Amino acid sequence: MDLYLKDSVAVVTGGSKGIGLAIARTHLDEGARVVVASRTSSPGLAELAGPRLVHAPADLTDPDAPARVVARAVEEFGGLDILVNNAGGPPPGVRLPRFSFGAPTDADWLAMFEFNLFSAVRAVRAALPPMLERGGGSIVNVSSGNARQPGPMNVDYSAAKAALNNLTKSLSEEFGPQGIRVNTVSPGPVRTAWWTDDGGAADILAAHVGADRDAVLDEVAPEMMNLTTGRLVDPQEVADMVALLVSPRSASTTGADMVVDGGFLKAV
C-alpha cells in the first residue's frame, strides 16, 4: 500500500533507537525526508544515513531544543508536514519501574513531565506555523496504555501520558479545521532498550519477583500485564501504526487514540 508520504518532511523525536528508530526507518522507506532528534546517534541510526535523513542532536528537556529541531527541518527540507512526538519514557538517567506512589519525589515528577509532556508541548508549538504555511499536516503523540489503565507502578509516568492524551484531543479540536490532524498511538509494553538494557525494566522486575531477566521478558512481564498475545510488542508494530496515521490515507482520523498493546487494555 502506498501511504503517499514520498517527499513529505517529518520530525521524529527520540528517534535513535527503539520505537523512534523504527518510525524513522519506516518513514524513510515510504520516501519521506526525516529529521531525527535525539541526544546522541546510534549504530541503528547511522545505518539509515543518506540525503533524506538528518540527525539533530538535542536534549528535549531543554525548553529551546524542540524549536531548534523544527527550525532545522525547515532549513534542510523547506517545511514540515509531520511531527511524531516519540521521545518519552524514563527521563535521562532514570530507571523504571518504580513500585509505589511514594517512590517519586517532586523532582522526579517534574523531570517526568518535562520529558513526556512539556517536550511535546514545545515541539507542537514550534511545528504549527510551518505546517499551517503548507496548508496542514499531521501530528502523532506517542502515549501509553498506562494513560488509560494506571496502576501503582510508575504513577508519575502514567499521569504525564494521560495529560498528553488530553492535550492531543484539545489540539485536534482547535487545529483540525485548519488541516492539521492530531492523534495518539498508545503502545503497551514494547521490547526496547527500556526493558532490555542492563539495569533496565527487565532486571528491575527480575530482582523484584525473583526471576531471571529472560523469563521476565518472555513470560513474567506478559503474564503480569495480562497481554492477550502473550508477548511484548515489537517496535515495528508501533511504527507501522504511526505511518498509517500520518498518511493522507487517514485523512478523516483525528483526535483518536490508536492502541498497539498486545491486548493490555481490556476496557470497552
Side-chain angles (χ1 to χ4, degrees), residues 2 16 24-25 37 41 51 63 73 102 105 108 116 122 148 152 177 209 225:
D2 185 354
S16 64
R25 183 188 300 112
S41 187
T105 65
D108 293 327
N116 287 276
R122 293 163 183 146
R148 292 165 54 189
V209 301
M225 299 181 184

Side-chain angles (χ1 to χ4, degrees), residues 36-75:
V36 166
S38 62
R39 286 181 298 147
T40 60
S41 187
S42 67
L45 189 59
E47 290 177 2
L48 303 180
R52 292 187 291 111
L53 176 70
V54 171
H55 177 233
D59 177 358
L60 292 164
T61 62
D62 172 359
D64 297 324
R68 289 197 298 268
V69 172
V70 170
R72 182 77 181 276
V74 174
E75 175 187 349

Side-chain angles (χ1 to χ4, degrees), residues 212-235:
D212 66 73
R213 70 189 322 272
D214 289 338
V216 166
L217 289 168
D218 296 334
E219 301 170 16
V220 176
E223 289 176 7
M224 284 179 63
M225 299 181 184
N226 197 19
L227 301 185
T228 306
T229 60
R231 62 171 177 84
L232 302 186
V233 178
D234 187 273

Side-chain angles (χ1 to χ4, degrees), residues 82-178:
I82 297 163
L83 170 64
V84 182
N85 281 311
N86 167 73
V94 173
R95 296 291 188 182
L96 296 179
R98 299 184 181 113
F99 292 100
S100 76
F101 167 75
T105 65
D106 279 3
D108 293 327
W109 277 88
L110 287 169
M112 190 66 73
F113 270 70
E114 280 286 349
F115 194 40
N116 287 276
L117 178 64
F118 298 147
S119 67
V121 168
R122 293 163 183 146
V124 171
R125 187 182 292 136
L128 287 171
M131 284 186 175
L132 291 170
E133 284 182 13
R134 287 162 87 95
S138 179
I139 298 171
V140 171
N141 295 321
V142 178
S143 184
S144 169
N146 291 95
R148 292 165 54 189
Q149 189 164 299
M153 290 196 300
N154 305 328
V155 292
D156 49 344
Y157 172 75
S158 298
K161 290 302 192 182
L164 185 64
N165 284 14
N166 191 289
L167 170 69
T168 299
K169 286 283 191 180
S170 297
L171 291 168
S172 72
E173 283 295 300
E174 181 172 358
F175 294 100
Q178 299 173 67

Side-chain angles (χ1 to χ4, degrees), residues 180-205:
I180 297 177
R181 298 183 298 107
V182 192
N183 296 285
T184 52
V185 170
S186 289
V190 182
R191 197 170 183 125
T192 64
W194 177 355
W195 282 87
T196 60
D197 274 356
D198 288 342
D203 287 334
I204 294 170
L205 276 175

